[in-house]
Amino acid sequence: MKSALPLLILAGTASACQPNRPDSPEKLKAVVVAYFDCISRKDFTRMKSLTTPDFILFENGKVINNDGLIAIINGSPITRADYSFDNFKVNVDSSSGSVIYFNHGKFMTNDASVLTRDWLESATFKKVGDEWKLDFIHSTVKK
């Protein structure tokens, strides 16, 4: 038994020193896509569930939280919004992450007009329990 003890201590120490493995970049991308899908469907409860309580969005020189974004959406003449994404670049570790990507929006208004807009966006994430939550989005209209 005495000879097994040093081996158990060594094994325990070695496993405790293992760095936490980074999570899959696909998980962060999925949160971004789900967040904008919730915006499209006006599923504000689910939208909020994908973010941290102190989530903020920087857009057009304004600082907006989820409630502010919901007010903007509800006051908009847009009746349908479709988003698509590309050029994802993801950095993720075991508890935080960041993503940069291009966001393409297509919008239908009350008078049946179709508008398109392209943005350059970045987002940061925090892991809360076992879930990734959006913490921050910075959005700039692409020129």
PDB file of all heavy atoms in Angstrom, residues 10 14 23 32 51 57-58 66 78 129:
ATOM      1  N   LEU A  10       0.995  11.317  -7.456  1.00  0.00           N
ATOM      2  CA  LEU A  10       1.536  11.788  -8.730  1.00  0.00           C
ATOM      3  C   LEU A  10       0.453  11.854  -9.798  1.00  0.00           C
ATOM      4  O   LEU A  10       0.350  12.843 -10.527  1.00  0.00           O
ATOM      5  CB  LEU A  10       2.686  10.878  -9.194  1.00  0.00           C
ATOM      6  CG  LEU A  10       3.372  11.264 -10.499  1.00  0.00           C
ATOM      7  CD1 LEU A  10       3.990  12.650 -10.366  1.00  0.00           C
ATOM      8  CD2 LEU A  10       4.421  10.250 -10.872  1.00  0.00           C
ATOM      9  N   ALA A  14      -0.813  15.285 -11.569  1.00  0.00           N
ATOM     10  CA  ALA A  14      -0.702  15.428 -13.020  1.00  0.00           C
ATOM     11  C   ALA A  14      -2.043  15.801 -13.631  1.00  0.00           C
ATOM     12  O   ALA A  14      -2.126  16.662 -14.504  1.00  0.00           O
ATOM     13  CB  ALA A  14      -0.161  14.150 -13.646  1.00  0.00           C
ATOM     14  N   ASP A  23     -13.266  24.910 -25.668  1.00  0.00           N
ATOM     15  CA  ASP A  23     -14.508  24.370 -26.206  1.00  0.00           C
ATOM     16  C   ASP A  23     -14.505  24.486 -27.727  1.00  0.00           C
ATOM     17  O   ASP A  23     -13.651  25.139 -28.314  1.00  0.00           O
ATOM     18  CB  ASP A  23     -15.687  25.139 -25.619  1.00  0.00           C
ATOM     19  CG  ASP A  23     -16.855  24.240 -25.277  1.00  0.00           C
ATOM     20  OD1 ASP A  23     -17.022  23.208 -25.942  1.00  0.00           O
ATOM     21  OD2 ASP A  23     -17.592  24.572 -24.341  1.00  0.00           O
ATOM     22  N   VAL A  32     -24.360  32.876 -31.800  1.00  0.00           N
ATOM     23  CA  VAL A  32     -24.568  34.065 -32.632  1.00  0.00           C
ATOM     24  C   VAL A  32     -25.753  33.847 -33.569  1.00  0.00           C
ATOM     25  O   VAL A  32     -26.660  34.684 -33.656  1.00  0.00           O
ATOM     26  CB  VAL A  32     -23.295  34.417 -33.445  1.00  0.00           C
ATOM     27  CG1 VAL A  32     -23.596  35.492 -34.488  1.00  0.00           C
ATOM     28  CG2 VAL A  32     -22.172  34.864 -32.535  1.00  0.00           C
ATOM     29  N   THR A  51     -27.870  35.524 -23.574  1.00  0.00           N
ATOM     30  CA  THR A  51     -26.930  36.577 -23.181  1.00  0.00           C
ATOM     31  C   THR A  51     -26.730  36.610 -21.661  1.00  0.00           C
ATOM     32  O   THR A  51     -27.564  36.103 -20.907  1.00  0.00           O
ATOM     33  CB  THR A  51     -27.431  37.965 -23.632  1.00  0.00           C
ATOM     34  OG1 THR A  51     -28.658  38.268 -22.962  1.00  0.00           O
ATOM     35  CG2 THR A  51     -27.641  38.019 -25.140  1.00  0.00           C
ATOM     36  N   LEU A  57     -24.744  45.951 -26.539  1.00  0.00           N
ATOM     37  CA  LEU A  57     -24.490  46.015 -27.971  1.00  0.00           C
ATOM     38  C   LEU A  57     -24.052  47.440 -28.285  1.00  0.00           C
ATOM     39  O   LEU A  57     -24.707  48.398 -27.858  1.00  0.00           O
ATOM     40  CB  LEU A  57     -25.791  45.678 -28.724  1.00  0.00           C
ATOM     41  CG  LEU A  57     -25.906  46.041 -30.199  1.00  0.00           C
ATOM     42  CD1 LEU A  57     -24.961  45.200 -31.038  1.00  0.00           C
ATOM     43  CD2 LEU A  57     -27.349  45.843 -30.661  1.00  0.00           C
ATOM     44  N   PHE A  58     -22.936  47.576 -28.992  1.00  0.00           N
ATOM     45  CA  PHE A  58     -22.518  48.872 -29.528  1.00  0.00           C
ATOM     46  C   PHE A  58     -22.933  48.888 -30.994  1.00  0.00           C
ATOM     47  O   PHE A  58     -22.448  48.074 -31.778  1.00  0.00           O
ATOM     48  CB  PHE A  58     -21.002  49.064 -29.460  1.00  0.00           C
ATOM     49  CG  PHE A  58     -20.423  49.336 -28.108  1.00  0.00           C
ATOM     50  CD1 PHE A  58     -21.200  49.412 -26.965  1.00  0.00           C
ATOM     51  CD2 PHE A  58     -19.064  49.527 -27.976  1.00  0.00           C
ATOM     52  CE1 PHE A  58     -20.635  49.670 -25.721  1.00  0.00           C
ATOM     53  CE2 PHE A  58     -18.486  49.786 -26.746  1.00  0.00           C
ATOM     54  CZ  PHE A  58     -19.275  49.858 -25.622  1.00  0.00           C
ATOM     55  N   ASN A  66     -30.414  44.522 -24.087  1.00  0.00           N
ATOM     56  CA  ASN A  66     -31.475  43.746 -24.736  1.00  0.00           C
ATOM     57  C   ASN A  66     -32.812  44.476 -24.729  1.00  0.00           C
ATOM     58  O   ASN A  66     -33.530  44.472 -25.732  1.00  0.00           O
ATOM     59  CB  ASN A  66     -31.627  42.376 -24.064  1.00  0.00           C
ATOM     60  CG  ASN A  66     -30.645  41.352 -24.597  1.00  0.00           C
ATOM     61  OD1 ASN A  66     -30.314  41.358 -25.775  1.00  0.00           O
ATOM     62  ND2 ASN A  66     -30.184  40.475 -23.727  1.00  0.00           N
ATOM     63  N   ILE A  78     -40.095  47.129 -39.958  1.00  0.00           N
ATOM     64  CA  ILE A  78     -39.653  45.858 -40.553  1.00  0.00           C
ATOM     65  C   ILE A  78     -40.585  44.742 -40.107  1.00  0.00           C
ATOM     66  O   ILE A  78     -40.853  44.568 -38.916  1.00  0.00           O
ATOM     67  CB  ILE A  78     -38.190  45.557 -40.171  1.00  0.00           C
ATOM     68  CG1 ILE A  78     -37.279  46.598 -40.816  1.00  0.00           C
ATOM     69  CG2 ILE A  78     -37.796  44.138 -40.566  1.00  0.00           C
ATOM     70  CD1 ILE A  78     -35.842  46.544 -40.370  1.00  0.00           C
ATOM     71  N   GLY A 129     -21.995  28.272 -16.296  1.00  0.00           N
ATOM     72  CA  GLY A 129     -22.299  26.852 -16.122  1.00  0.00           C
ATOM     73  C   GLY A 129     -21.742  26.095 -17.308  1.00  0.00           C
ATOM     74  O   GLY A 129     -20.559  26.205 -17.622  1.00  0.00           O
TER      75      GLY A 129
END
